[in-house]
Amino acid sequence: MSERGRRWLGIAAAVAVIALLPVIAQGSAYWHGIMIICALNVLLAISLNLVIGYTGQLNLGQSAFYGIGAYVTTVLVQTLKWNFWLAMAAGALAAGLVGIVLAVFAFRLRGHYLAIASLAFAVITYQILINWVSVTKGPLGIYGIAPPPPIALGPVTIAFTSPANLFYLVAGIGLVVYVALGNLISSPIGETLRAIREDEVSAAALGVNGKLWKVFAFALGSAISGLAGAFYPGFVGTLVPDAFFIIESFTLLAMVIVGGMGTMIGPVIGAVLLTVLPELLRGIGDLRLLVYGLALTLVVLFMPGGIVQAARAIWARVRPARAAPGTAS
Amino acid sequence: MPDLLSVLVQQSLNGIVLGCLYVLVALGLTLIYGVMNQINFAHADFVTLGAFAAYFFTQWLGGGYVLSIGVAFMAGAVLGVLVNAAIFAPLRERGDELRPLVATIGVSVLLENGALAAFGPIPYEFHTPYANETIRFGKIYFTEQHLLIVVVAAAAIGALYAFMRFTFVGKALRAVAQDRETAGLMGINQNQLIMLTIVIASAFAGMAGAMLGPVLVLTPFAGATVIVKSFAIVIIGGFGNMEGTILAGLLVGLIEAYTTQFLGPGVIDLVVFALLLVMLAFRPTGLIAEKREENV
């Protein structure tokens, strides 16, 4: 099958899975909730992967952009009575603009320095959310947040008070973003980003403007996280700063690494696995996070390329007759 | 205004006491970074474990508080040996900077939730007999506990400093930090030295935990409140730079004390991390600049 055909088949399969999941969940509010969180985490993980996996910038502050998107959207809707969709765009834009500020730090800082700078960035954002009580209501949080308003498509009105519809909305956005990012990564822009990841100096020697493309990657990655943030408060109904503490950044990083950094499908697998696994382990109570930590450590120790690379290695061994297996992009 | 003066002196004393504890934690991070080029997120849990080891030694076994600091030191060292064997040694072969970092996050989640399962979420009240004995000078007062912290920390920091400067092993450690390959060619056994680095770092963190235990809310997550600040200290001082870390640790302790007094305790992190970002923007090599060539 051609590359193009396989891609369309993949999209069709993803659409089918997204369409069927709420049917399988049979109206269980609990599983609908988990599915929505999964879709949000997929968005966050693929946006972080753009910055860490493809551009090679060690960013430990992704939770900040998620939070900025959530708070900007909610405050605009609740306090200034903006239209939700406009506020959503503003939230994503605000996160993207703040991402550019972090990118400026990435001009000079590399590796661990950037990691700590981005961590500091997330701590400061969290502290502002806690301390700027007049706007964010501080640690007590904002309550009674409505889901996105219904969309009227001719005679049909889609209401997002239904968890299944909200899931379709977020997962649909996730799929569109995934396909768009996939196209971007396989375009010359993706090659440029990978060149910066592999060797910034050589890339510059070939005429690549490293600063410009870092700004691009940070802005886009942050804006997508901000977009995810716009949908979070309407789903939960409340908004507290603790949802965007730095632990959230670590969790997102874990999703990217466990799934397979620098691959498109890896972070999706990681996000779904690390969202669903703790829920399945709920039966063992407090021990579930213990298992989570153990799983993360073991994956890094024994599957350095994440699940995707491990699966490819197994596939190559099972089907040795197959000509040159696809290389990681 | 004599009152303002006494407030300033009082907060300076408080800041130095706190700063001493931060230095003990941050020195370990900076040592590990200097020698191995690794960030250790599990360092926080060495602090927590040290605090619990000291707590159980004094409360259950009836041991003395001063001795419990030594117990916490040993507990940290043992944990350091284990984490080195399980994580750092196997991952070092691959020469990657991101995966060991993520592995230490995994270890941290593992240790914190292991401690949660063992000790529960309710904070422990860690009393030290020395906190009740107050020493006064006019309007300024401090406790014997404060005095003990400063003496123990100064002795430990001084010993480590002398060890790094004047002993053969210390010089070998600094050689590995400067240039691992050349040090290896000179016949220095890196694996043992790296092991030693982690053991020293975690023992110091454990010791700090024993003295932070009575100050912090002692839960399985107690170390996490200190560790993010310690990362800030390590950067402000310059990654891998001992003198800079000592200076930055005391500075952050003082900033925290003054901020608590004049702006309120809620904004401490905001002030410290804003300082960190300013440092990173204008002077990323740290307070005391060190000439270091970078391989491009």
Side-chain angles (χ1 to χ4, degrees), chain A residues 59-316:
Chain A
N59 176 3
L60 295 184
Q62 200 70 1
S63 60
F65 304 113
Y66 188 33
I68 290 169
Y71 269 92
V72 168
T73 307
T74 306
V75 168
L76 286 179
V77 169
Q78 283 223 330
T79 313
L80 300 176
K81 308 294 174 206
W82 278 36
N83 171 286
F84 172 82
W85 306 104
L86 207 61
M88 172 197 82
L93 187 71
L97 288 176
V98 180
I100 292 175
V101 177
L102 186 56
V104 172
F105 280 93
F107 288 174
R108 287 183 63 182
L109 306 173
R110 247 174 258 154
H112 290 129
Y113 280 88
L114 181 60
I116 301 293
S118 55
L119 194 64
F121 198 76
V123 172
I124 289 176
T125 307
Y126 172 75
Q127 288 294 332
I128 290 174
L129 294 180
I130 291 265
N131 283 293
W132 198 7
V133 178
S134 61
V135 173
T136 65
K137 306 244 165 49
L140 293 176
I142 302 174
Y143 286 84
I145 302 163
I151 303 178
L153 286 175
V156 190
T157 307
I158 305 168
F160 296 110
T161 42
S162 140
N165 286 349
L166 189 58
F167 168 72
Y168 285 137
L169 177 69
V170 180
I173 291 174
L175 184 62
V176 169
V177 170
Y178 180 87
V179 172
L181 270 185
N183 286 337
L184 182 84
I185 290 304
S186 47
S187 77
I189 294 176
E191 272 170 44
T192 307
L193 296 181
R194 283 195 294 274
I196 293 172
R197 174 186 73 188
E198 295 304 331
D199 189 341
E200 207 178 328
V201 177
S202 305
L206 293 171
V208 170
N209 185 340
K211 287 183 180 176
L212 184 74
W213 289 110
K214 277 184 194 172
V215 167
F216 172 77
F218 270 96
L220 186 59
S222 312
I224 296 170
S225 287
L227 185 66
F231 293 101
Y232 172 80
F235 157 61
V236 184
T238 58
L239 190 54
V240 289
D242 277 1
F244 312 103
F245 195 53
I246 48 173
I247 299 296
E248 179 68 17
S249 286
F250 293 166
T251 311
L252 296 175
L253 181 65
M255 289 169 183
V256 173
I257 300 274
V258 166
M261 189 176 70
T263 65
M264 277 309 291
I265 194 70
V268 178
I269 296 172
V272 172
L273 193 70
L274 291 188
T275 311
V276 175
L277 186 69
E279 297 302 330
L280 295 178
L281 293 173
R282 215 169 256 284
I284 56 173
D286 285 339
L287 288 178
R288 70 198 172 99
L289 282 168
L290 195 87
V291 176
Y292 187 92
L294 190 67
L296 179 58
T297 313
L298 290 179
V299 166
V300 175
L301 279 176
F302 299 110
M303 288 197 264
I307 291 169
V308 167
Q309 210 185 67
R312 277 183 186 151
I314 292 168
W315 185 244

Side-chain angles (χ1 to χ4, degrees), chain B residues 131-198:
Chain B
N132 302 329
E133 306 296 326
T134 320
I135 303 165
R136 288 183 74 115
F137 287 106
K139 282 183 178 162
I140 296 143
Y141 70 94
F142 52 94
T143 62
E144 284 185 358
Q145 172 76 8
H146 289 162
L147 201 63
L148 181 72
I149 287 173
V150 174
V151 169
V152 171
I157 294 162
L160 180 65
Y161 193 80
F163 170 76
M164 294 294 280
R165 280 279 151 217
F166 305 119
T167 67
F168 182 77
V169 179
K171 283 177 190 166
L173 266 178
R174 283 189 291 138
V176 173
Q178 267 178 8
D179 189 337
R180 211 191 281 187
E181 278 176 30
T182 315
L185 291 175
M186 300 296 139
I188 293 174
N189 183 336
Q190 294 174 40
N191 289 339
Q192 283 178 7
L193 284 180
I194 287 173
M195 167 92 152
L196 181 69
T197 307
I198 295 176

